[in-house]
Amino acid sequence: MTTTTDFVLPPVTLRIGGEARTTGAGVHTHINPATGKAGAPVPLAGVSDVDDAVNAAHQVFAVWRATPAGARSKALLKLAQLVEEHTEDFVELAIADNGIARSNAYPTVTAATDWIRYYAGWADKLPLGRITSVVGAGGSFGHTLRQPYGVIGAIITWNAPLMSLAMKVPAALAAGNTVVVKPSELTPFSAMLFADLVTEAGIPDGVFNVIPGGPEAGAALVEHKLVKKVTFTGGPDTARKISAACAKTFKPVVLELGGKSANLVFADADLEAAAMHSTFMAFGIMSGQACALPTRLLVQDSIYDAFVATIGQIAASFPVGDPQDIGTVCGPVINEAAIERIHSMVGRAQEEGARLVTGGQRLAGDLADGFFYPPTVLADVAPSSELAQKEVFGPVLAITRFSDEAEAIALANGTDYGLSGYIWTGDARRAIRVTEALETGEVTVNGAMNAVAERPFGGIGHSGTGNEGGLEGLEEFFWTKSVAYGNG
C-alpha cells in the first residue's frame, strides 16, 4: 500500500455547550478500515453527558429562535463557505473515518456544501403559514404559524458522516431549532471539524452539540424529555427501537433507512451509458455502503447476457486499494464484521443458484490486513432470494432478468423497501409510466443525480418515514399552530 499523507487527525471530544470534553462514560478505539490497525481513542458519551448536551441546547433555544432570520441565513452561508474552504481537511477525515476512496470523498464535500447553502437560502424565507379568514357575523380571522420544535436529537450514520450532518443540521438550524448530534463511534472525525466550523461561523455555543457514543447514548438522547423530535439515519433494527421509544410520548421522528433499490434497464436504453453508470453507482460510491444505491439490476432479457458481461468487465476493472490513492475507485468496507456479513451473503446466493460473474473473495496480499472486498457481481439472482430481498451494504450487485415492462415493475416493487428507483430507457412515455408505478420515495431516469438538496429524499415501507432535502425537509423541523381572532 502507498504511504498516506502527514495529515494529523483532530482529537475526538464531546462538544457540549461550547465545551470540549475529553472523557465520557467509556472509550472506543477507532480502527482504520484500510489497515485494520487501532488508532485514536473515542470518548463515549454517557447518560449524564447526553443530559448536559440536551440541556445546553434547550437553554440556548430561545436565543437562537429569536435570532433574526437574516442572521441565521448569514451564519449558515458562512458555515458553507468554511466547509468548502476546508475541503482537503474533510477529505482526509472521510478517509480516516471509514476508508472512502479519495476520488469519491471530494464529491461528498461538494454535496455537503450544496446542502448547507440550500437551507441557508431558506432561513430568511421560511414558510410562516397561511391565512384562514372567515367573514360575516360571528366570523373570525385566522391564520397558522409554523414554529420550531426546540431541541432536535440527530443520530447520524457511519457511512457518510459529513453528508448526514449536512442533510439534517442546516435545515434544523434554519428553522430555528437547536441540535444534539450523536455520530457513530466508528466514524467520529468529520463531526469534530464540523463542530469547529459551526462555532467559527458565529453560531452560538449550545446550538450545535456533538456527543459521540454507542447505543446507550442514542437511547438516552431519544428518550430525553427535552428532545422534541428525533431524526435518524441507519438500519431498521435500531429504527424500530427508536420508534418504540418515541411512541411512548408520541414524539415525532424522521427515519432515513435502507434500501434495495432497483435499476431497470430496458433494451431501448443507451446501453453504454447505462452500464457505466449502473456499475459505478453500485461499487464506486462508498464501496456499495450507501442506502440509495441501485443494488438490484433488472435487465430486459433481449440484452441480458451481453449487458451482464459488460457489467462484469467494468466492475473487474475498478481499482481497489488504498483510499489515499487518487486512482482508487473502491476502498475498504467499514470493519471485519462487514466483511464476514458480505461474504456470507455472497456464498448463500451462490448456493441458491446465483452465478458469480466477478469478485466474491476477500482481497489478500498487500490488502490483507484491511477490510477490502472487491466489486462482486452475481447474475441470475432469484427475485425471492436473500440477495434480492436483503440489503447487503457492501460492493455486491444482484442482477435479474425481466421480459417486459409489467414484469420489471413487479420485480422492482417486490421488496419491503421503497427508497430509490432507477430507470434506463429511450422511451419518454415508458419513463413516465414506470416512474409513476414504482413504489419508492425517489426515482431517477437515465443517469440523473439522486439525493440532491433541492429535492425531497425519503422512503416508504422499510426505507423509513419523513424527508430530508427540499422544502419538505425543512418542514420536518416545524410544527403547526392554528390561530383565530374573534370579534369579542
Side-chain angles (χ1 to χ4, degrees), residues 50-68:
V50 174
D51 186 57
D52 289 346
V54 173
N55 278 292
H58 176 68
Q59 289 168 11
V60 78
F61 167 58
V63 174
W64 182 245
R65 176 184 179 180
T67 299

Side-chain angles (χ1 to χ4, degrees), residues 101 103 274-285 287-288 310-321 327-331 358 363 367 372-377 395 397:
S103 59
M276 181 57 71
H277 182 272
S278 301
T279 313
F280 181 77
M281 288 292 288
F283 305 117
I285 307 293
S287 297
T310 300
I311 293 290
Q313 292 168 2
I314 297 172
S317 72
F318 285 169
V320 182
T328 294
V329 172
C330 302
T358 189
L363 295 179
L367 302 178
F372 291 92
Y373 205 84
T376 297
V377 178
L397 178 61

Side-chain angles (χ1 to χ4, degrees), residues 248-268:
K248 295 176 183 177
T249 57
F250 304 101
K251 185 179 298 185
V253 61
V254 175
L255 302 173
E256 201 283 280
L257 308 181
K260 195 68 183 179
S261 300
N263 183 9
L264 286 62
V265 179
F266 291 90
D268 61 359

